[in-house]
Amino acid sequence: MNIVMMGPPGAGKGTQAKYISERFVIPHISTGDMLREEMSAQSDLGKKVEEVIKSGKLVDDSLMIEIVKVRLSRPDVEKGFVLDGYPRTLSQAESLNELLRFLGKDVKYAVYVEVPKDVIIERLSSRRVCPKCGHIYNLISNPPKADGLCDVCHVPLVTREDDKPDVVKRRYDVYYEMTFPVIEYYRKRNVLFTIDGTLAVEKVKDMLLNILGDDN
Ligand SMILES: [Zn+2]
C-alpha cells in the first residue's frame, strides 16, 4: 500500500498521514523527517544536506531523490508507506516514479486533501500561538479560556508570521502552482483520490478508510 499525500499548507494532510500510518502499520515518511534523520546519522548524504542548509540554500531535486531512495530502500516499507510532502513538483513525481520502478514498486494511491484557499486562510489566520510555551490555539475551533491569553501561561497570544493572511495566500498560490501538475500526473495514471478537506477530521478519516479499506 504505497501512498502519496498531497494538500496545501493547513489542509491537515500531516494529521491524516499519521492516521493512515497507525491504522495500516506502515511508516509515515515526511520530507522534514528524512532530512533530519540523514543529518543526525551524519551519513554522506546527511553531511551534504547540512552543508546546503547551512549555506541558506534549498535541498535540490537530485539530492532529495537520493534521500528518498535511501529511505524507500529500508525494509520497513515492505508493506507500504505514506509519503507526506513529496513529490511537490512534476519533475519530483517523475523521479519518484522512476525510482519506484527501479525498486519494483509503484504509487497505488495519490490522495489529494482539497481545501479551497478562502477556507485555508480562515483556518490559519484564526490560529494563535503562545510565545512562552508554544501551544497553538484556534480562535474558532480551539479557543483559549480567557480572551487572547494562554490557558497555562496567561500571556497574550500572538499570530505567527506564516499564519498572516497575506503570507498564507502566497504560500497557497505557490503550492498550487507547483503541485497542480503533480495532481494531474496522478489523475492520468488513475491513482488520484480527492478528499474534501473542509469536512471534520473524523469524516475525512472515514473517507480515507473507504478508499484504502479493501486493501487490508
Ligand atoms: Zn503558554
Side-chain angles (χ1 to χ4, degrees), residues 129-135 137 150-155 157:
V129 61
C130 170
K132 216 172 155 191
C133 71
H135 189 81
Y137 297 86
C150 177
D151 291 349
V152 180
C153 318
H154 308 289
V155 296
L157 302 173

